Amino acid sequence: MTVSRDIVILSNPALLEKVDRLRDLNIGQHVPLPQLVVVGDQSSGKSSLLESLSGIPFPKDQSLCTRHATQITSRRNSDDRVDIRINPGPHASEEHRKHVEAFHMHMSSGLEFREQFVDILKKLKKDQANERMGLRVDISTGNGAVFSEDVLKIEVQGPNEDYLTIIDVPGIFRTTTQGTTKDDMVMVKDLVKRYIRDDRTIILAVLPSNVDIATQEILELADDYDQSGERTLGVLTKPDLVLEPSAQAAVCDLVQGKKRPLALGYFLVRNRGAFSGSKEQSDLDQIFRKEPWVDLPRDRVGIPALKEQLRSLLVEITRREFPKLLQDVSNQIKECKRELNSLGPPRQDEREQRSFLSRIAETFQDRARAALAADYNADPVFGQDELRLITNVVNITNVFSDDFQQGAHSRNFENINLSVSSVAVAIPDDYDCEETPVVLMIDNLRALLQKARVDDVAPGELAELGDIIAPLPPHRTPVPRDDFAAWINDVYLQSRGLDLGTFNANLVSMAFAEQSRKWGDMTKIYMSRVIVTIHRFIAAALRSVCPEEQARRQLWSAILESLLERYKMAMAQASLLIEVEQRKQPYTLNRRFAEELSKARGYRVTELLRPKARKDGRQYGELQFMVNLDDIAKAAEGKSNVEQLQEEIHDILHAYYYLALDRFIDNVFQLAVDYCLLHGPSSPMKVFTQDWVINLESEQLELIVGETKSAKKRRSKLVKKIEDLSNALKILKT
Ligand code: GDP
Ligand code: MG
């Protein structure tokens, strides 16, 4: 019966050979290839069928019933050889995988292999393969698993072999016997499902003829996954054991498509039974020449007919699935390349590592430059709020400046209006309109700061910055008090000496120190907000330039100390500015001071004269007032010396305070924030630079960007997979 085999080989070699060469490249583990899977209940005759089809004598004794999937690949080749390996199952641990993959058995002749196969398998079960698969050697003892997800792979090649790949899976069972458990039942069923799910698998549903077909679960299962039935073939075994005429008629009905029809129909085959001895297949097939089987169509009975059908089915499925296979392979190549890309360039030696890190540093500096210049169009990453550095800092600074103007003084100054001519002019109705935009903007900025959670310092950030920054969120800064006059009176009375209408120069110093008491705390809070913002910027920028977490974490800890040092320097600079303002004798060269002071004095005189002034009509639309010269001389008579001194102190302090405040805010921004934290040569933005990378010790470099073992492994795996798949693509396209 070698005729059909030859027909098969002649009719389809190119396509099947292609697929077979793919299998040879191990492509099967990446993309499913067309294959045959033998499924059915336990003892339905699966292993026997496999033997009939492949000539490989599978053991049929009960204790050796299949407890794992076995894939047999046979192939025509001038070399004669057999290789036995184990493929780990999908849930295998790394350790088990290694253990299993180390197994390899080789024989130099297919004939020798067939003769020894049962012994080999028995031996394997005792020591190597089964033990490797973690299976129990003796099924009745409790150690090890009864079933394994690993696949025993047997590759047979030789000048007389067919192209055929068949997979034998454990039989489905519904009652737990012989130490099998419910879990085993589920696992076996899952295993079967995994094989029959794929569109490229031809399902050989094995059904013993001597058992009622209604009890065979496999047909339903196949139906679930192959609804159109275009890849499920029924194979009825053990016709020699069906003796009752009615049972024989039922089998004939199935084969003739009269009962529970299948799209691909049923085949009737006879395998070697327990008592068949060494009979040839052709001898066994004599049964089909007898009643009642003799009436069945010849292309539906016997192993050769089945084999031929399988061949053409396999070709058909392969042809149909070929475009999809091609697509799958190219998609996987793309996917692998993408993953390889995400691993970055290889970094085995120092030169590769330094250039890798140097490129990251360069990109980081580009981002930092753009962020400081508000050049957010430079890169889409700037959509991220944390990366909009200069905007965040300016917003925080605006709020700081406003807070400072509104309430950094301990006591409210007297409400003196320094523009004399406007004294009599009512506040215009549209006053609000002028102020509103500014007020609104500041309120918006405050809302922005809240949204950005600048004051919500995360525990991780606090662990790093805790020693440097002030506690955020801050306690509310106390609002200025309204007892200025009483306070200055106290200060004066407690510090005066033998003075004649003058006061001690220290008095202004003391009063200013008290009036600016909150500056220190408010400034530290401002500085802290800026530092948190910069710290977050650096972290986010690093995330954007170095997506690989392991390397980023190492890099972070390598630069953290320098960053903290620079934050500290900025804080110290701010403290120095506070100290200078508060400790030194108030002084200024600013000419505005004299102007403001004389305006204040003018105001005082005007206020004294106001009750004595008479209206004198209008000139150029403005009200004119007349005052007696005598009145001017007597104007201040009503005031005591002390009162006049207090007014003088108030006015000096007032003029000086706002001058100092403007100067201070400017200085804090210029010297502490801008110079120390943003643009200066030792700002934290200048820590992670290409220069820094160039000067790194090689050990440190290795620590930061040296690839982890797993990344190295992953990379070489991907490279190999891409190579395999590219070869596969070449084969498919020729
Ligand atoms: P599996 O559990 O599905 O792999 O079933 P096996 O192939 O191990 O077969 C179970 C038993 O049925 C074995 O003793 C086989 O010899 C026997 N058997 C299988 N097919 C036939 C057949 O066509 N005729 C006879 N008489 N026995 C068969
Ligand atoms: Mg079996």
Side-chain angles (χ1 to χ4, degrees), residues 15 49 70 110 118 144 154 170 218 305 336 349 392 426 497 500 538 570 580 593 609 642 682 696-697 717:
L15 199 59
L49 174 66
T70 305
V118 175
I154 303 170
I218 190 62
C336 286
D349 61 26
N392 293 334
L500 287 170
I538 293 174
V580 166
F593 174 72
L609 292 175
V642 173
S682 32
L696 265 185
E697 298 290 331
K717 257 198 176 149

Side-chain angles (χ1 to χ4, degrees), residues 254-359:
L254 283 171
V255 176
Q256 286 163 336
K258 293 181 189 161
K259 220 173 77 181
R260 206 186 188 297
L262 278 176
L264 296 178
Y266 294 82
F267 277 74
L268 185 62
V269 298
R270 180 180 180 191
N271 303 313
R272 214 176 286 273
F275 306 106
S276 308
S278 57
K279 271 190 194 156
E280 288 292 316
Q281 187 66 51
S282 51
D283 294 336
L284 295 173
D285 284 353
Q286 291 301 322
I287 189 175
F288 299 120
R289 296 176 185 267
K290 294 182 196 152
E291 287 292 338
W293 318 121
V294 70
D295 297 332
L296 292 175
R298 292 296 92 187
D299 62 350
R300 287 275 149 187
V301 295
I303 289 293
L306 172 62
K307 240 179 167 175
E308 191 183 330
Q309 172 75 359
L310 290 181
R311 285 292 175 178
S312 51
L313 252 182
L314 205 54
V315 171
E316 197 181 298
I317 292 221
T318 305
R319 194 166 286 149
R320 193 189 66 210
E321 293 291 318
F322 197 77
K324 216 168 133 203
L325 190 65
L326 206 72
Q327 190 66 47
D328 262 16
V329 171
S330 24
N331 282 351
Q332 289 228 18
I333 292 178
K334 257 187 236 152
E335 189 51 46
C336 286
K337 283 189 175 161
R338 193 172 13 235
E339 196 185 334
L340 195 63
N341 230 9
S342 79
L343 284 179
R347 319 187 298 257
Q348 320 282 352
D349 61 26
E350 192 185 322
R351 199 184 52 78
E352 282 173 342
Q353 289 170 356
R354 216 176 279 281
S355 94
F356 173 76
L357 193 58
S358 180
R359 268 197 301 277

Side-chain angles (χ1 to χ4, degrees), residues 515-543:
Q515 188 67 333
S516 63
R517 189 164 36 85
K518 289 185 277 174
W519 285 20
D521 285 348
M522 290 176 79
T523 306
K524 279 183 188 144
I525 286 163
Y526 163 64
M527 291 297 295
S528 303
R529 284 177 170 159
V530 173
I531 287 171
V532 167
T533 303
I534 289 173
H535 201 57
R536 284 179 187 167
F537 167 81
I538 293 174
L542 281 185
R543 275 198 298 277

Side-chain angles (χ1 to χ4, degrees), residues 80 82 109-116 156 161:
D80 218 352
V82 177
S109 136
L111 203 69
E112 184 194 348
F113 164 73
R114 285 185 169 82
E115 277 165 6
Q116 297 181 13
V156 188
E161 302 295 342

Side-chain angles (χ1 to χ4, degrees), residues 169-187:
V169 291
I172 297 173
F173 56 96
R174 282 171 297 269
T175 46
T176 52
T177 51
Q178 280 200 321
T180 56
T181 64
K182 277 231 164 76
D183 283 351
D184 292 334
M185 249 161 68
V186 172
M187 178 177 159

Side-chain angles (χ1 to χ4, degrees), residues 7-191:
I7 289 171
V8 166
I9 287 171
L10 281 178
S11 66
N12 61 64
L15 199 59
L16 286 189
E17 203 191 320
K18 267 185 191 179
V19 172
D20 206 60
R21 278 164 63 198
L22 297 190
R23 224 182 289 281
D24 203 27
L25 282 172
N26 246 336
I27 294 303
Q29 62 180 342
H30 308 312
V31 284
L33 297 173
Q35 60 189 9
L36 302 169
V37 166
V38 183
V39 292
D41 273 17
Q42 257 178 12
S43 290
S44 54
K46 296 182 299 298
S47 299
S48 307
L49 174 66
L50 221 53
E51 172 179 341
S52 307
L53 289 170
S54 67
I56 297 170
F58 276 83
K60 273 137 297 191
D61 104 45
Q62 276 287 325
S63 70
L64 285 172
C65 78
T66 315
R67 285 145 71 191
H68 50 80
T70 305
Q71 175 189 317
I72 300 168
T73 302
S74 54
R75 166 175 350 133
R76 186 159 293 194
N77 198 345
S78 51
D79 279 353
D80 218 352
R81 66 174 288 155
V82 177
D83 291 279
I84 304 177
R85 292 190 179 82
I86 303 172
N87 272 5
H91 304 107
S93 68
E94 189 59 30
E95 189 194 1
H96 182 69
R97 181 182 297 274
K98 269 194 199 134
H99 187 60
V100 154
E101 280 173 348
F103 174 82
H104 180 201
M105 237 180 115
H106 163 73
M107 300 178 84
S108 51
S109 136
L111 203 69
E112 184 194 348
F113 164 73
R114 285 185 169 82
E115 277 165 6
Q116 297 181 13
F117 183 58
V118 175
D119 285 342
I120 292 172
L121 221 54
K122 274 186 186 158
K123 212 171 131 232
L124 278 179
K125 290 201 190 267
K126 275 223 185 68
D127 45 54
Q128 300 169 355
N130 262 34
E131 183 257 336
R132 278 195 195 259
M133 289 175 166
L135 288 175
R136 276 183 225 173
V137 173
D138 180 355
I139 206 161
S140 53
T141 67
N143 297 325
V146 178
F147 293 95
S148 166
E149 293 190 310
D150 299 340
V151 182
L152 183 69
K153 252 181 78 181
I154 303 170
E155 291 180 74
V156 188
Q157 15 186 326
N160 300 316
E161 302 295 342
D162 275 349
Y163 288 102
L164 192 72
T165 289
I166 310 183
I167 294 157
D168 183 27
V169 291
I172 297 173
F173 56 96
R174 282 171 297 269
T175 46
T176 52
T177 51
Q178 280 200 321
T180 56
T181 64
K182 277 231 164 76
D183 283 351
D184 292 334
M185 249 161 68
V186 172
M187 178 177 159
V188 168
K189 213 164 172 178
D190 284 347
L191 195 85

